């Protein structure tokens, strides 16, 4: 991982990204790079990170749901780090608070491309995801190549619209 990206470490968190109420915040989360991956399972984030690094993107990963929500809702708004060109998010990891933060970020930074991925979506959740401005959604049955293609397409559309 490049020097511009920060990888956060899960500290006693459950698989769904819920933190114990007593978990202290040690630091604020920052990110600088082109692509931010929000995924709590390293076996899912690592192949995407490696694939995008081969495409010459600077990639960072946030593995912790609370850190992701903090970064999306407060960090970028406060100028802590550069807002990435592309954010790839595991929908289930983010939860409702994370999706709301992502929607607000998208509204204030429409130039940021957002790729939402989820292996399990319901019609209600799909409708919620579609309300995030400019989000591209991959749900149910998708392959790593689908993520790569979508990421390259979103990055190319961002560059051509600048």
């Amino acid at each position: 991982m490049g020097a511009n990206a920060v990888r956060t470490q899960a500290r006693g968190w459950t698989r769904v990204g819920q933190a114990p109420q007593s978990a202290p915040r040690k630091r604020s989360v920052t990110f600088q790079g082109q692509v931010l991956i929000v995924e709590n399972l390293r076996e899912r984030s690592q192949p995407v990170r490696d694939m995008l690094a081969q495409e010459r993107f600077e990639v960072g990963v946030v593995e912790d749901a609370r850190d992701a929500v903090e970064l999306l809702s407060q960090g970028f708004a406060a100028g802590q780090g550069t807002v990435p060109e592309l954010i790839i998010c595991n929908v289930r990891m983010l939860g409702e608070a994370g999706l709301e933060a992502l929607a607000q970020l998208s509204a204030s930074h429409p130039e940021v491309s957002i790729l939402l991925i989820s292996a399990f979506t319901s019609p209600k959740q799909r409708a919620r995801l579609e309300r995030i401005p400019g989000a591209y959604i991959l749900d149910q049955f998708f392959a790593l190549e689908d993520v790569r293609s979508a990421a390259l397409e979103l990055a190319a559309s961002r560059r051509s619209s600048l």
Side-chain angles (χ1 to χ4, degrees):
M1 179 176 359
N4 292 333
V6 175
R7 177 183 290 272
T8 60
Q9 299 296 322
R11 296 171 301 275
W13 293 49
T14 66
R15 291 192 66 188
V16 293
Q18 299 297 318
Q21 293 296 335
S22 62
R25 299 301 291 160
K26 296 179 182 176
R27 59 170 165 64
S28 62
V29 182
T30 61
F31 172 81
Q32 292 186 5
Q34 294 173 291
V35 179
L36 171 63
I37 299 172
V38 178
E39 172 60 70
N40 58 329
L41 297 176
R42 201 169 278 167
E43 59 269 15
R44 287 191 206 149
S45 64
Q46 192 65 43
V48 174
R49 184 196 157 304
D50 292 346
M51 173 193 59
L52 293 174
Q54 287 180 347
E55 297 289 342
R56 307 224 189 284
F57 287 99
E58 292 177 34
V59 182
V61 177
V62 175
E63 297 175 334
D64 179 292
R66 193 167 67 172
D67 284 349
V69 172
E70 179 183 316
L71 184 61
L72 295 170
S73 64
Q74 299 167 6
F76 293 139
Q80 296 174 351
T82 305
V83 178
E85 295 175 24
L86 172 63
I87 300 174
I88 301 174
C89 294
N90 172 340
V91 172
R92 293 192 59 136
M93 177 192 155
L94 278 181
E96 193 58 37
L99 291 175
E100 183 58 36
L102 195 57
Q104 290 175 2
L105 176 69
S106 179
S108 64
H109 294 282
E111 73 280 5
V112 176
S113 298
I114 298 171
L115 176 56
L116 301 171
I117 57 175
S118 178
F120 309 100
T121 54
S122 65
K124 181 180 176 182
Q125 185 181 45
R126 175 74 184 205
R128 168 67 176 99
L129 299 177
E130 290 173 351
R131 290 193 302 266
I132 297 175
Y136 186 96
I137 304 165
L138 285 177
D139 63 355
Q140 304 291 326
F141 306 103
F142 60 88
L144 185 60
E145 180 56 32
D146 298 326
V147 176
R148 179 188 166 281
S149 296
L152 293 176
E153 181 181 325
L154 290 168
S157 69
R158 181 190 184 280
R159 288 190 178 112
S160 66
S161 65
L162 292 178

